[in-house]
């Protein structure tokens, strides 16, 4: 395998268009909105896509209802298991993305998972962090959707 052969499966045109769109952002809000709304063309999802501070507050979201968004911002972001008990914290991201299957996580019986994640139909999430781990992007799929492929990760 030589040169780009190992990357020929990547939809480079779509990636380029996505990067050009978010690169043209004039403000942080435009950038966040573009990252979240445009990601669906590269990694499809059927629940939602969010960009959030790793401490909880959502910076931008796409796909969630206003009620879901408000419930998270006003209550459930304070119920994140790793903020309540640091021993449940996900491992730090070294590179790439992390898949979470919500029915099998150690904290699956937490209020956050049972009353929020499962209630909105989320089964699997694909997450990566930016800005030295201070901001995360998560794409969420229901049990009706296919799991995330290795290509998407």
């Amino acid at each position: 395998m030589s040169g780009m052969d190992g990357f020929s499966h990547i939809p480079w045109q779509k990636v380029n268009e996505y990067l050009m769109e978010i690169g043209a952002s004039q403000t942080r809000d435009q950038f966040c909105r573009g990252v979240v709304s445009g990601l669906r063309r590269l990694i499809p999802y059927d629940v939602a896509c969010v960009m959030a501070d790793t401490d909880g507050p959502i910076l931008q979201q796409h796909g969630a209802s206003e009620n879901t968004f408000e419930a998270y911002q006003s209550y459930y972001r304070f119920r994140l298991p790793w903020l309540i008990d640091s021993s449940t914290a996900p491992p730090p991201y070294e590179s790439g993305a992390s898949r979470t299957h919500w029915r099998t996580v150690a904290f699956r019986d937490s209020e956050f998972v049972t009353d929020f994640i499962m209630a909105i139909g989320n089964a699997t999430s694909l997450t990566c962090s930016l800005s030295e781990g201070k901001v995360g992007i998560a794409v969420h799929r229901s049990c009706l959707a296919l799991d995330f492929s290795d290509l998407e990760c």
Side-chain angles (χ1 to χ4, degrees), residues 39-57:
L39 195 55
R40 184 175 228 154
R41 291 177 303 209
L42 298 173
I43 304 174
Y45 54 88
D46 64 342
V47 176
C49 179
V50 298
M51 178 183 276
D53 284 338
T54 51
D55 288 339

Side-chain angles (χ1 to χ4, degrees), residues 30-116:
Q30 279 181 334
F31 175 77
C32 293
R33 191 172 36 252
V35 167
V36 170
S37 64
L39 195 55
R40 184 175 228 154
R41 291 177 303 209
L42 298 173
I43 304 174
Y45 54 88
D46 64 342
V47 176
C49 179
V50 298
M51 178 183 276
D53 284 338
T54 51
D55 288 339
I58 291 177
L59 302 172
Q60 191 62 242
Q61 69 88 21
H62 184 262
S65 71
E66 189 62 32
N67 288 341
T68 298
F69 177 74
E70 287 301 321
Y72 179 85
Q73 290 289 72
S74 65
Y75 183 77
Y76 287 105
R77 76 182 180 105
F78 302 107
R79 309 304 306 154
L80 296 171
W82 49 91
L83 296 181
I84 296 169
D85 176 2
S86 62
S87 70
T88 63
Y93 302 109
E94 294 177 15
S95 65
S98 171
R99 276 183 257 202
T100 302
H101 294 91
W102 292 103
R103 288 193 165 101
T104 61
V105 294
F107 48 87
R108 66 185 165 274
D109 294 327
S110 68
E111 178 184 17
F112 176 71
V113 174
T114 59
D115 293 356
F116 183 73

